[in-house]
Amino acid sequence: MKEIKYVITDPLGMHARPAGMLVKAVAPYASKITVTAPTGTADARRLMALMKLAAKQGMELTFTVEGDDEEKAATDLQAFLTANL
Amino acid sequence: MKKGIGLPVFSGVAIGPAVVYRKAQRTLPVSSGDPLVEKAKFEAALETARQQLTALYEKAKVEIGEEQAAIVEVQLLMLEDLDYLDGVNMAIEGGAAAAIAALDTGEEFAQVFAAMDDEYMNARSADIRDMSHRLYDILCGNTGFQLPEGSFLLVAEDLAPSETIQLPKERILAFVTRQGSSSSHTAILARTLNIPSLVQSDITFEAAESCKILAVDGFTGTWYADPDEQTLEMLKAKQNEAAAARDALEAYRGKESITRSGKKVLLVANIGCPEDAEAAVKADAEGVGLMRSEFLYLGRDSLPTEEELFEAYKKVAEIMGHRPVVIRTLDIGADKQVSYMGLEKEENPALGLRGLRICLTKEEIFRPQLRAIYRASAYGNLNVMFPMVASVWELKAAKALCAKVRKELEEEGVPTKDVPIGVMVETPAAAILADELAKEAAFFSVGTNDLTQYTLAVDRQNAKLGQFYDPYHPALLALMAHIAKAAKDNGIWAGICGELGADPKLQEKFIQMGFTELSMAAGRILESRKLVCESQV
């Protein structure tokens, strides 16, 4: 299992668009990816669940990546977060 | 070039692309009973929705920019959401038809988002609804009526009030309908918006759909599909001329409406919603002579709450300030029906349970409206009038309820003001009884459209009766004179809020009769003022 901690820098927080992009970004991997925010936990493949977190700028998100391709998935996820959130 | 005719309801010239409005198909598909079949239908609908939204996304990106396109993109993503798809599939397995499953699941999610403690996420509930309604429409076989960007001329068989209120009015250059009459709702709307329009036109949907440019000449009642060079030039010249005439009327802005012999007339506007009040102020109306409350009740799924009504009335009161506003209480029924009120279908709705009759039989509908009006009264100069009065007892009963409502509000500590109570005179009975009603009412306002229909026994929705619907009929004018006299004898004022109030052929006559208020579409105010100021009466 890999774990990534990431503090949101996007002034709008994790609004619909980055949430949608996250769903797309994690889609190719077999690993199970879960996001935990102070407001709750969501499966990173589920857009509405992610949106329901209403995660804001400055909030710390914890991603857990678990599965056969977790190495690659975690590396790519880290890159995605830095670029988009 | 193709051309044809129609009955013009507002003069002017419009030139632009045509859009054909087709009614939404409302037949609900029943479930086939087989979840596998329903799931397959849903999958197919998803694919169609994906294609529609992708096309919309590309178009939005090019034509309006990234930001708007992103909204469409979010809906595309929601379409793929696993929770939503799971929800739909579960509903289908539970026996629901695909269309219902798509709609209900969307609504569930929308409500969750609407209840969140986050403004941005609250607003996303609209995206979810938009997305699930798209699927629903596809599954109902409705290909979806999609308006293009920019301005256009709207071609339709006919338009119901609930349909017209959902249209982006600022983008409509003209209405061309195949049905309707000069007093139908489309015609009233055209006059409110000041756009040249034709009703009862012989235009075909094929002609409208296949042309690049449609032109309407509201002076002659002619439409042209793909007008040739010469015609186009002629139309543009007319358009300029009309604009020049409008400019000339500007000289009357801000002036008092007073005849040469010194008779003062209040020229006020007919409105349907707070936005219309802004238009009325812009048009230099001296007040509102008729606020049609029912538009707050149409185009929705449930009764508006007292709070919603209050906000709307308050807004109008504030916009109009010291200028008087006459609110007509709910006039649902007849040609304006709403499904959520559960009113029975009537053989003869114009003579049925409508107007004040509904209000007096269903206090749960009437009371919130009266409370809203009294609460809003503190913010401006409000008057109220009741539609469809035929007997004195009806007016007395409604007045008693008004007094009760006001007392309640006072006990609750809510500020209210005196709200003069008037009668909208639109039944022959009320006209004949004007002398008695005047002793109970603070004012009269004649609804000439219905008074004509009831006096002459001519259905105003029936286009074939056009030549018999004669607003200049001597019987009608005799009633009008009687109403004005009864008002004067009893020391109350009388006005006119039907279409005739703006009729240049009759305005002088009405002033002579003793009417002191004429309410009309906002666009007619300045030309009426010119007429009044030039009048000798």
Side-chain angles (χ1 to χ4, degrees), chain B residues 178-369:
Chain B
R178 291 172 45 81
Q179 311 273 329
S181 68
S182 66
S183 52
S184 64
H185 288 281
T186 311
I188 292 171
L189 185 65
R191 283 188 285 259
T192 305
L193 301 174
N194 285 327
I195 55 177
S197 293
L198 306 179
V199 295
Q200 293 172 35
S201 82
D202 56 3
I203 198 166
T204 60
F205 287 172
E206 293 73 46
E209 263 164 355
S210 60
C211 72
K212 281 200 181 67
I213 287 181
L214 182 68
V216 165
D217 183 340
F219 295 101
T220 60
T222 320
W223 58 266
Y224 304 88
D226 286 329
D228 56 37
E229 197 86 6
Q230 208 181 346
T231 312
L232 204 58
E233 233 162 82
M234 177 273 291
L235 289 170
K236 281 186 178 156
K238 264 193 184 181
Q239 210 169 22
N240 291 338
E241 218 173 285
R246 258 200 316 276
D247 289 346
L249 285 178
E250 283 301 311
Y252 288 90
R253 183 173 290 278
K255 286 221 169 123
E256 231 186 347
S257 312
I258 189 159
T259 67
R260 293 216 167 127
S261 71
K263 289 199 179 69
K264 215 186 131 17
V265 181
L266 211 57
L267 296 178
V268 290
N270 294 341
I271 67 166
C273 55
E275 293 84 77
D276 292 351
E278 276 160 25
V281 170
K282 270 196 211 128
D284 205 28
E286 296 163 54
V288 168
L290 169 66
M291 176 170 180
R292 297 185 174 94
S293 286
E294 57 278 10
F295 287 96
L296 301 165
Y297 291 76
L298 295 169
R300 46 185 299 147
D301 307 322
S302 59
L303 276 172
T305 61
E306 178 186 320
E307 209 53 37
E308 285 175 277
L309 294 168
F310 164 66
E311 285 301 331
Y313 293 141
K314 177 178 165 225
K315 209 163 160 199
V316 171
E318 286 176 336
I319 292 169
M320 299 312 293
H322 64 280
R323 285 167 283 216
V325 174
V326 179
I327 297 174
R328 173 177 71 187
T329 57
L330 185 59
D331 190 14
I332 289 289
D335 53 338
K336 290 163 292 206
Q337 292 185 355
V338 288
S339 48
Y340 59 80
M341 280 196 193
L343 300 172
E344 279 166 39
K345 209 155 180 67
E346 297 182 39
E347 193 76 15
N348 206 344
L351 302 181
L353 192 60
R354 55 168 291 199
L356 189 60
R357 297 169 183 178
I358 290 184
C359 295
L360 290 179
T361 43
K362 291 181 188 278
E363 204 182 300
E364 71 277 14
I365 293 175
F366 201 25
R367 174 181 287 273
Q369 183 176 34

Side-chain angles (χ1 to χ4, degrees), chain B residues 48-298:
Chain B
T48 309
R50 218 172 275 143
Q51 286 167 8
Q52 285 179 0
L53 284 168
T54 309
L56 201 60
Y57 173 70
E58 294 302 333
K59 193 167 171 332
K61 212 163 61 175
V62 179
E63 290 173 14
I64 23 182
E66 275 296 332
E67 207 171 320
Q68 289 297 308
I71 293 175
V72 180
E73 194 188 9
V74 166
Q75 289 191 25
L76 257 170
L77 292 166
M78 285 175 171
L79 214 50
E80 316 274 333
D81 180 58
L82 295 172
D83 287 336
Y84 177 68
L85 298 178
D86 287 353
V88 172
N89 281 325
M90 262 165 63
I92 289 177
E93 274 158 26
I100 298 296
L103 190 70
D104 287 356
T105 310
E107 188 54 34
E108 266 169 47
F109 278 90
Q111 280 177 9
V112 171
F113 275 81
M116 280 170 71
D117 190 17
D118 183 309
E119 226 172 280
Y120 169 82
M121 291 301 167
N122 294 161
R124 301 285 71 73
S125 58
D127 292 322
I128 300 170
R129 284 201 182 101
D130 209 6
M131 181 262 308
S132 58
H133 277 263
R134 179 179 296 277
L135 288 166
Y136 175 75
D137 281 347
I138 294 168
L139 286 161
C140 288
N142 174 11
T143 44
F145 171 65
Q146 264 138 31
L147 289 169
E149 299 304 320
S151 304
F152 53 87
L153 288 80
L154 193 68
V155 180
E157 192 61 35
D158 198 5
L159 292 164
S162 60
E163 289 166 327
T164 54
I165 55 171
Q166 290 167 3
L167 294 169
K169 301 186 186 82
E170 65 291 349
R171 295 203 277 127
I172 299 174
L173 299 171
F175 292 111
V176 182
T177 65
R178 291 172 45 81
Q179 311 273 329
S181 68
S182 66
S183 52
S184 64
H185 288 281
T186 311
I188 292 171
L189 185 65
R191 283 188 285 259
T192 305
L193 301 174
N194 285 327
I195 55 177
S197 293
L198 306 179
V199 295
Q200 293 172 35
S201 82
D202 56 3
I203 198 166
T204 60
F205 287 172
E206 293 73 46
E209 263 164 355
S210 60
C211 72
K212 281 200 181 67
I213 287 181
L214 182 68
V216 165
D217 183 340
F219 295 101
T220 60
T222 320
W223 58 266
Y224 304 88
D226 286 329
D228 56 37
E229 197 86 6
Q230 208 181 346
T231 312
L232 204 58
E233 233 162 82
M234 177 273 291
L235 289 170
K236 281 186 178 156
K238 264 193 184 181
Q239 210 169 22
N240 291 338
E241 218 173 285
R246 258 200 316 276
D247 289 346
L249 285 178
E250 283 301 311
Y252 288 90
R253 183 173 290 278
K255 286 221 169 123
E256 231 186 347
S257 312
I258 189 159
T259 67
R260 293 216 167 127
S261 71
K263 289 199 179 69
K264 215 186 131 17
V265 181
L266 211 57
L267 296 178
V268 290
N270 294 341
I271 67 166
C273 55
E275 293 84 77
D276 292 351
E278 276 160 25
V281 170
K282 270 196 211 128
D284 205 28
E286 296 163 54
V288 168
L290 169 66
M291 176 170 180
R292 297 185 174 94
S293 286
E294 57 278 10
F295 287 96
L296 301 165
Y297 291 76
L298 295 169

Side-chain angles (χ1 to χ4, degrees), chain A residues 12 34 62 69-70:
Chain A
L12 291 173
T34 316
T62 308
D69 54 2
E70 60 185 42

Side-chain angles (χ1 to χ4, degrees), chain B residues 463-521:
Chain B
K464 292 197 187 84
L465 290 173
Q467 60 166 316
F468 300 102
Y469 184 91
D470 174 14
Y472 306 120
H473 196 288
L476 183 71
L477 295 177
L479 283 179
M480 304 275 295
H482 176 69
I483 295 163
K485 183 172 182 302
K488 207 171 170 186
D489 290 348
N490 289 282
I492 66 171
W493 63 266
I496 297 172
C497 64
E499 293 301 323
L500 283 192
D503 192 322
K505 291 197 265 310
L506 286 174
Q507 280 177 337
E508 273 199 336
K509 202 178 185 76
F510 289 146
I511 296 168
Q512 260 168 340
M513 285 178 182
F515 287 101
T516 56
E517 185 234 41
L518 299 174
S519 191
M520 59 199 73

Side-chain angles (χ1 to χ4, degrees), chain A residues 9-82:
Chain A
T9 57
D10 188 318
L12 291 173
M14 191 163 63
H15 57 105
R17 202 154 177 234
M21 286 162 74
L22 174 62
V23 172
K24 275 191 183 165
V26 301
Y29 303 103
S31 296
K32 181 170 170 53
I33 303 173
T34 316
V35 194
T36 304
T39 43
T41 297
D43 180 339
R45 286 175 210 287
R46 296 182 178 251
L47 175 66
M48 304 240 205
L50 286 174
M51 287 169 63
K52 275 189 241 169
L53 294 177
K56 297 286 168 220
Q57 184 182 23
M59 269 190 193
E60 189 183 64
L61 302 177
T62 308
F63 291 81
T64 56
V65 186
E66 197 169 5
D68 291 343
D69 54 2
E70 60 185 42
E71 268 323 309
K72 172 104 177 69
T75 319
D76 291 353
L77 178 60
Q78 181 70 58
F80 170 85
L81 293 172
T82 318

